[in-house]
Amino acid sequence: METEIEIEQSVHVTRTLAPRISDPAAAFGVMNRLRMRLQAAVRGRDQAVELIVVALLADGHVLLEDYPGSGKTTLAKALGGSIIDDVPDDPIVTFRRIQFTPDLLPSDVTGTTIFDPNTNTFFFRIGPVFAHILLADEINRTSPKVQSALLEAMGEKQVTVDNKTRALDDLFFVIATQNPLDLVGTFPLPAAQLDRFLFKIRMTHIDRQSELEVLAGYKTHGDKRLPGDDLPRVTRTEILDARAVIRAVHVAPEVQECLVDIAGETRKNPQILQGASTRSLVLMIPALQARALSRMRSFVSADDVEALAPFIFAHRLELAPGVDDVDALIRAAMVKPMERLARATMAR
Amino acid sequence: MSVASLPDRPGFFRQLLRAGAMALAALSLTWGTALPSGLAAALLGAALGVPIGQALGRSRVRLPVVLLGLALFAATGFGLAAFAVGAVFFPTLVGTGTALRTAAALRFGIAALTASAALRSIGARKPAAAAIEVVALAAAIPSVFASHRDGIIARPLWISDFAWQRGIDPTHIFLGLGGVAIAVLAVLLLLETRSGRAPSSLMALAALIALALGVLPLLGLPTPKPPNDLGLTDSADAGGKDPLDAGAKPTDGGSGARGSRPEQGDGGDPLDGGSLGQESDQLDGGGGAPPPDGGPKVAQSEHLEDQGSGKGGEAPMAVVILDDDYAPPSGGFYFRQEAWSTYNGARLVRATRGDVDGDQIFDFPVRSTDVPDPPLDPGRARVRATVALLVEHTHPFALESPVRFVPAQNPNPTRFLRAYKFESLAQTTPFKELVGRKSGDARWPEPVKSYYLEGPTDPRYAALAKQIASKVPASYTGDPFATALTVKLWLDDQLTYSTKARHAGVPDSTADFLFGDRTGYCVHFAHAAVLLWRALGIPARIGTGYRTEEDDRHGSSTILIRASDAHAWPELYLEGIGWVVLDIAAKKNIDEPPPPVDSDLQRLLGEMARQMPHDPVHTALTETSTLAFGKEALRVLLLGAAMTIALLYTVKIWRRLAPFVVRPRRLPVAGYRLALDHLAEIGLSRRLGETREAFARRAAAVAPSFAALTDLHLAGALGDPARDAAARDELSRPRWREGNALVMREIRAGSRFWRRLVGALDPASFLRAR
């Protein structure tokens, strides 16, 4: 990809090469700029914003569970608007949105091969997945067929149409939403699909002050531009570089033990039919590293584990019938490993 | 999405435990006060109060409002209860009994519910205040045993009876109950803590129990106080004024209260051969009626008053263990404490001159002490015995007549006040053989001879004495013992025993007694006998102390002396024999006979006094070994506690100094630990499962800069160890010194002085720094 960046760039965007970053401070700057823009665009969602930024840097996807009109789309759009596509000549755009409905077809997601009568050839018309940020709205309203099409895109960063596999961009980030209450006529996501999402973020109503700020912002800006649009943006290359930087964040063996212990605790608990998977732990490492970096730390700490664990495990655990408070279960599973970790820091 | 921080909902089991404990507490408080309906209502109310209080505590209503609401609820309930019995129509509608029961149920149920709910809501709102709840429980449940005060181990009866029947000292059962209560309360307190059970709290619990067990031998079990005999012996202070009316109600072993004894066959010819034997049997037994109820003490002398005059009855005073077998010919053991021989114009009192009554000592022995003027050997048996006193006495007493007193180790300091041994030459000569001896002692100088014959100038004594002496059979005329015996038998015949007749308020109460209704008790009898003997020229005096019945020991070597065994008796001096007890046994007794000796108590106290080293089974049961062990354990415990505290302080000081001396590699731990210790001293410590960052955020209210130290510490502990050491801030000693100083300043500014002082003095504060 690097070689592509060095070739000629689009005149109407920029002629300068995108700056490359390689140190933690610059990566922190990337996260910070994203966070500032998102927080300016969506009021009172600081935790969700932080988690989305972490997921973006950790190369994961997020599932938002929320009511209509709570700012999901605004959030996703703001995220798309925060990213400068510094490879403007390719067909991939920064932001796409798919509204999932029961009659949607896989080709509506991935794209399809179309016959061009002028040239007498078939050409591939790209679908909405060819984007940096994809908002998959009400993902549980569509058929499993379409869901599985998205599944490949999310897991492998590629789509296969007519037996031809096409790669998606390295920066492919899905924000899916689903309504937790309105379940009539939905196709609940199977466990395998849920597992593709790094975080499931359950959003609650924002507080009064933030809500007032939203109204004030709407009055000022109108519907056209998002607030905070004048804040600095980040380029696609910067994000990809930052992803490389966070890999250098140190994960101490004690922290890894703690993660394994938490997973073990969830598997031991009789109220949980299926505990945390090994893959969830593997996915958790970059997320922890990203969060550590967002706190300007060069190492992963217990605080990161405590902050992220509920969002990573909550949708992966299969609960026994009649058990519903998954957060309490996760908290309970974390007590002992976290205590061990805290004690381990004094032992060294 | 927010991880809510509501207080943890207590588990069902804990709620159940609380409700049960509350119900038990309510039952304890209302037991004996309430009707069954009230009891049931209190039980139910207290149990219901727990979930209600919990719900109120978790609600958003402010605590004062909750408490006020509960108070209003209680007031309404009491109003309803008053209405149920006060209004006319309700009782007429349901009946008076039902109305009363309803009112009781309302009152008790609502009071219990309100109290329990108030306690629980306070406890739920402020976890520290849960201690109030525990204290309330702690205060309520033992109230059942409140009657077990001042060492009265006989209450409550259903427990003590159960224990006595199995040969267990009820004290142990009460101690056990106390220990269980301590343990339960400690467990409840531990359950209240949110930070989990640290090993230190369990250690503290163990130390608490060990301390409770260890303090016991140090302070001792409460000593039973003899109960007041309902004010019958209220005038102990009169002792100095008028001797015979002196306050204490005298008890008298000397009354002829024993109807079962063979009556004297023929008063007219007492000394004829056959009947003398019978008489002597009867004579000697004559003193032996079990003392009637009454004051424990002769208490004519102020020296006896503090031994419990004014109290009396069956309270045990002392235990005597006979080392040598001895059966007194008179059927009773006479333990003489004092002798009264000086006639002061109205009565006999203790001698103040040095040349008489040399056969007694007045101080408890600190080394082997010989009696200055020991009795003569012939006709006496050497008897050694150990005395263990349960009640303080002013002088030692011994079986008449003592020759030596030896100090002894107190076999059981928690039960006995002191112990000593004595060696006595106890009278063994049959009274028959005493006939024919001269009275007095040829070695006595003239003043002593006349001293023992001093008496009132009242001519009636001499006249009466002469009249009685005239009945002595001709063959014995002039024989001192026969004459004395005749006087005794005449008195036996003529006198009536009653502790109610006190002959107070007259100048010569002996005369008032002897020439009046002849109704009185041992002190009157003894005075009458001694003064009549003296009038006949027989040297005599009064012995005071205790008299116990030979039969009462049931063949055991243990003699239990009770308050009611206090006695006074006449003695006369025979040449070659010494002082001889010749007690009066009045035939007529208008007092009730006393209860028999409690042989269980006798055996138990005897075992305690004896320590029973040779019987392992009994040793295990007796308190002695337990308490001896307890004493040893206490010493070990105190030593261990002192060493533990010293060790803790050493560790604490080391942890304080460590950041200045450890290698840089250890700085992230040592420096952070120092800050943790300081925070722990003011009561801030990490909870179970709390991350260090979360704790730092919590502590930021006091010490905002602690978060920076936490980050430094974590960088040291979880950071990449491969990084360049020079670039690592957490390995820089000045950085840590500065950070710790800042945290200290913030703590000083953000906490009260006393809190810091307590924390600094607490040797174990660092155990909470986790």
Side-chain angles (χ1 to χ4, degrees):
Chain A
M1 289 312 258
E2 280 79 4
T3 50
E4 281 176 38
I5 297 167
E6 281 164 28
I7 63 168
E8 194 184 2
Q9 301 217 343
S10 170
V11 274
H12 59 271
V13 178
T14 173
R15 273 288 164 196
T16 54
L17 291 179
R20 305 302 303 265
I21 56 170
S22 58
D23 63 310
F28 174 75
V30 170
M31 295 186 84
N32 214 22
R33 268 178 282 162
L34 280 171
R35 194 158 54 196
M36 298 299 272
R37 281 186 67 93
L38 294 185
Q39 284 177 355
V42 191
R43 296 285 171 179
R45 294 263 181 242
D46 292 359
Q47 196 181 10
V49 165
E50 174 169 13
L51 287 167
I52 286 171
V53 172
V54 165
L56 181 66
L57 272 279
D59 201 4
H61 308 284
V62 298
L63 175 62
L64 295 180
E65 200 165 71
D66 203 357
Y67 313 101
S70 55
K72 300 179 297 259
T73 314
T74 318
L75 194 57
K77 268 164 101 176
L79 185 59
S82 305
I83 296 170
I84 305 170
D85 184 5
D86 52 6
V87 196
D89 296 339
D90 68 4
I92 296 174
V93 294
T94 45
F95 178 71
R96 280 278 186 257
R97 170 188 174 147
I98 312 172
Q99 182 70 43
F100 283 75
T101 55
D103 55 353
L104 205 71
L105 295 173
S107 57
D108 297 333
V109 174
T110 58
T112 184
T113 314
I114 289 176
F115 180 72
D116 183 357
N118 294 331
T119 58
N120 257 356
T121 52
F122 284 92
F123 71 96
F124 182 71
R125 181 150 196 195
I126 59 170
V129 290
F130 288 86
H132 296 317
I133 311 295
L134 175 67
L135 173 62
D137 221 353
E138 297 204 76
I139 189 170
N140 57 344
R141 294 225 163 265
T142 194
S143 59
K145 201 175 174 185
V146 182
Q147 286 173 356
S148 70
L150 192 63
L151 189 113
E152 188 197 1
M154 286 165 64
E156 320 290 330
K157 291 212 173 148
Q158 61 185 26
V159 290
T160 306
V161 180
D162 292 347
N163 283 337
K164 192 171 176 199
T165 301
R166 292 180 170 81
L168 300 180
D169 192 69
D170 274 351
L171 179 57
F172 174 62
F173 181 67
V174 175
I175 300 180
T177 73
Q178 63 179 16
N179 188 330
L181 287 185
D182 189 9
L183 293 175
V184 179
T186 60
F187 303 88
L189 291 177
Q193 184 116 23
L194 279 174
D195 210 18
R196 307 284 164 185
F197 291 102
L198 179 59
F199 297 142
K200 182 170 99 168
I201 306 174
R202 194 175 299 127
M203 292 163 76
T204 50
H205 290 294
I206 59 176
D207 59 89
R208 185 169 188 273
Q209 187 58 38
S210 304
E211 214 154 24
L212 286 172
E213 283 174 25
V214 170
L215 296 188
Y218 184 79
K219 212 168 68 186
T220 318
H221 296 285
D223 207 9
K224 298 283 177 275
R225 286 170 67 230
L226 286 168
D229 207 21
D230 45 353
L231 292 173
R233 301 192 285 180
V234 296
T235 67
R236 167 187 168 279
T237 312
E238 278 178 317
I239 294 174
L240 294 179
D241 285 351
R243 281 184 183 176
V245 170
I246 64 164
R247 293 275 163 193
V249 171
H250 182 67
V251 185
E254 289 92 338
V255 175
Q256 293 174 3
E257 279 171 32
C258 175
L259 296 182
V260 172
D261 289 347
I262 293 174
E265 291 280 335
T266 64
R267 292 164 197 158
K268 270 193 290 185
N269 192 332
Q271 291 184 299
I272 302 175
L273 295 181
Q274 193 178 334
S277 64
T278 309
R279 175 161 57 183
S280 64
L281 299 183
V282 173
L283 290 177
M284 195 171 178
I285 294 291
L288 290 172
Q289 288 172 317
R291 187 173 186 279
L293 192 77
S294 78
R295 293 287 192 272
M296 284 192 78
R297 245 190 283 112
S298 63
F299 58 93
V300 171
S301 167
D303 200 33
D304 305 321
V305 179
E306 189 179 47
L308 297 188
F311 302 101
I312 289 180
F313 294 131
H315 56 293
R316 292 184 160 91
L317 301 183
E318 188 91 31
L319 302 187
V323 183
D324 54 355
D325 194 355
V326 68
D327 283 343
L329 286 177
I330 293 172
R331 271 206 304 277
M334 281 167 66
V335 169
K336 271 192 207 163
M338 295 304 272
E339 180 65 21
R340 258 200 296 278
L341 175 59
R343 284 175 190 227
T345 68
M346 294 300 278
R348 195 142 123 176
Chain B
M1 142 161 23
S2 68
V3 183
S5 62
L6 271 173
D8 295 339
R9 182 181 283 274
F12 177 72
F13 171 72
R14 201 193 291 185
Q15 285 286 60
L16 201 67
L17 187 73
R18 268 207 197 98
M22 273 294 170
L24 203 62
L27 187 69
S28 309
L29 282 177
T30 48
W31 187 263
T33 317
L35 297 167
S37 64
L39 277 184
L43 265 177
L44 199 68
L48 273 180
V50 169
I52 291 176
Q54 185 73 27
L56 287 173
R58 287 173 57 87
S59 69
R60 301 244 174 248
V61 188
R62 292 177 55 201
L63 192 57
V65 180
V66 167
L67 296 182
L68 196 71
L70 284 173
L72 277 177
F73 172 70
T76 317
F78 281 117
L80 272 179
F83 181 73
V85 284
V88 180
F89 82 91
F90 188 71
T92 50
L93 202 66
V94 298
T96 321
T98 314
L100 280 173
R101 276 194 292 277
T102 310
L106 270 175
R107 280 203 190 96
F108 282 102
I110 283 174
L113 189 142
T114 312
S116 157
L119 283 172
R120 188 78 285 271
S121 55
I122 294 174
R125 195 63 64 87
K126 295 191 166 48
I132 299 177
E133 205 177 353
V134 176
V135 168
L137 283 177
I141 292 178
S143 70
V144 178
F145 308 109
S147 52
H148 171 59
R149 278 187 302 257
D150 299 332
I152 300 174
I153 55 179
R155 295 286 189 281
L157 285 169
W158 56 273
I159 290 182
S160 56
D161 286 355
F162 171 83
W164 287 121
Q165 279 163 16
R166 279 154 190 79
I168 310 167
D169 186 351
T171 314
H172 288 153
I173 293 193
F174 287 112
L175 285 176
L177 283 173
V180 169
I182 289 177
V184 167
L185 289 179
V187 166
L188 279 176
L189 270 179
L190 285 177
L191 284 175
E192 292 299 337
T193 62
R194 301 164 118 205
S195 51
R197 261 63 76 204
S200 58
S201 5
L202 292 177
M203 268 162 54
L205 173 60
L208 196 69
I209 292 170
L211 194 70
L213 289 177
V215 161
L216 190 65
L218 190 73
L219 300 180
L221 290 172
T223 320
K225 289 180 190 153
N228 191 306
D229 68 336
L230 303 175
L232 286 172
T233 59
D234 49 350
S235 49
D237 55 334
K241 285 186 268 167
D242 193 348
L244 286 186
D245 333 325
K249 170 144 294 186
T251 57
D252 196 350
S255 70
R258 179 169 311 151
S260 61
R261 283 262 161 167
E263 291 292 317
Q264 178 187 358
D266 178 6
D269 190 5
L271 297 177
D272 98 324
S275 79
L276 191 58
Q278 192 192 2
E279 265 151 28
S280 67
D281 182 37
Q282 201 263 336
L283 283 183
D284 317 322
D293 187 18
K297 286 292 131 194
V298 179
Q300 280 182 295
S301 146
E302 58 278 14
H303 303 298
L304 284 171
E305 279 160 22
D306 56 346
Q307 298 174 8
S309 71
K311 299 169 183 156
E314 301 312 301
M317 308 297 279
V319 181
V320 179
I321 313 283
L322 294 179
D323 296 342
D324 298 313
D325 194 39
Y326 167 64
S330 61
F333 291 95
Y334 288 86
F335 294 99
R336 190 197 296 128
Q337 185 182 34
E338 278 189 6
W340 298 340
S341 54
T342 302
Y343 187 72
N344 70 353
R347 60 168 289 204
L348 292 166
V349 294
R350 201 173 110 191
T352 46
R353 48 196 285 179
D355 57 346
V356 294
D357 293 346
D359 58 346
Q360 50 184 332
I361 66 168
F362 296 107
D363 294 320
F364 285 99
V366 289
R367 67 186 75 82
S368 178
T369 309
D370 287 338
V371 170
D373 186 9
L376 303 166
D377 257 358
R380 291 175 181 272
R382 195 163 286 267
V383 177
R384 281 161 305 176
T386 309
V387 181
L389 298 180
L390 287 154
V391 171
E392 192 57 81
H393 286 62
T394 46
H395 331 299
F397 59 84
L399 195 66
E400 60 77 36
S401 294
V403 288
R404 182 178 296 138
F405 287 89
V406 181
Q409 196 190 352
N410 190 340
N412 188 340
T414 64
R415 180 57 73 197
F416 301 110
L417 290 172
R418 65 165 81 231
Y420 59 90
K421 290 174 185 291
F422 65 78
E423 198 176 316
S424 287
L425 288 173
Q427 228 274 116
T428 51
T429 323
F431 283 1
K432 256 191 286 190
E433 294 169 22
L434 294 174
V435 177
R437 290 189 181 268
K438 283 188 198 153
S439 65
D441 196 323
R443 293 170 300 163
W444 281 351
E446 203 50 47
V448 174
K449 272 183 190 157
S450 61
Y451 166 78
Y452 279 125
L453 293 175
E454 276 174 22
T457 50
D458 190 334
R460 286 182 290 173
Y461 287 100
L464 179 62
K466 198 164 282 174
Q467 186 197 332
I468 298 168
S470 67
K471 295 180 181 170
V472 177
S475 52
Y476 293 110
T477 307
D479 181 78
F481 187 74
T483 311
L485 190 59
T486 310
V487 170
K488 172 213 150 34
L489 291 174
W490 185 84
L491 288 172
D492 284 353
D493 200 40
Q494 295 291 321
L495 303 184
T496 303
Y497 185 88
S498 168
T499 50
K500 310 235 169 15
R502 297 173 55 182
H503 304 284
V506 292
D508 185 347
S509 45
T510 308
D512 185 54
F513 158 72
L514 190 57
F515 307 116
D517 60 3
R518 290 180 182 165
T519 301
Y521 46 84
C522 61
V523 175
H524 304 114
F525 294 1
H527 271 83
V530 167
L531 294 181
L532 288 175
W533 288 343
R534 285 187 174 188
L536 290 170
I538 304 169
R541 67 176 187 185
I542 294 177
T544 67
Y546 297 106
R547 179 192 189 283
T548 62
E549 204 57 23
E550 156 78 351
D551 288 354
D552 279 346
R553 63 180 174 129
H554 302 300
S556 143
S557 63
T558 305
I559 299 171
L560 176 66
I561 295 180
R562 301 176 297 172
S564 55
D565 290 335
H567 188 38
W569 59 86
E571 300 179 356
L572 71 159
Y573 198 94
L574 293 179
E575 183 149 39
I577 298 287
W579 290 105
V580 174
V581 177
L582 188 58
D583 205 355
I584 310 297
K587 281 183 184 167
K588 294 189 280 287
N589 180 8
I590 57 175
D591 276 7
E592 280 177 32
V597 169
D598 180 347
S599 56
D600 282 341
L601 185 66
Q602 181 179 6
R603 186 175 55 78
L604 183 84
L605 289 171
E607 283 172 10
M608 284 181 186
R610 206 179 279 119
Q611 280 188 293
M612 301 281 292
H614 54 279
D615 186 348
V617 179
H618 275 79
T619 310
L621 289 175
T622 53
E623 192 174 21
T624 314
S625 57
T626 320
L627 291 168
F629 165 77
K631 193 168 192 180
E632 195 57 38
L634 179 69
R635 207 169 293 138
V636 172
L637 195 74
L638 285 179
L639 191 69
M643 279 170 60
T644 311
I645 288 175
L647 187 73
L648 288 175
Y649 273 123
T650 313
V651 173
K652 187 167 171 162
I653 290 168
W654 159 247
R655 285 165 71 117
R656 193 147 294 196
L657 297 179
F660 301 99
V661 291
V662 293
R663 282 165 299 157
R665 204 175 59 77
R666 296 284 303 163
L667 265 177
V669 168
Y672 177 70
R673 202 169 53 194
L674 177 61
L676 274 187
D677 284 358
H678 283 312
L679 286 171
E681 280 180 10
I682 60 162
L684 270 174
S685 52
R686 196 173 58 83
R687 292 181 188 137
L688 187 77
E690 194 176 27
T691 62
R692 301 209 171 273
E693 287 98 332
F695 171 56
R697 284 192 286 275
R698 196 154 57 83
V702 175
S705 70
F706 176 65
L709 291 191
T710 304
D711 288 344
L712 275 183
H713 161 72
L714 290 175
L718 298 178
D720 188 356
R723 273 175 307 149
D724 181 14
R728 293 174 69 181
D729 212 11
E730 67 266 18
L731 300 186
S732 136
R733 205 181 295 273
R735 175 74 190 80
W736 276 106
R737 198 171 301 164
E738 198 182 305
N740 275 322
L742 190 58
V743 167
M744 260 316 281
R745 271 203 298 281
E746 285 166 353
I747 288 176
R748 218 168 283 147
S751 64
R752 294 210 183 95
F753 172 73
W754 62 264
R755 191 72 192 79
R756 292 200 303 278
L757 186 71
V758 169
L761 292 178
D762 180 0
S765 65
F766 69 84
L767 290 178
R768 295 191 300 273
R770 294 187 298 182

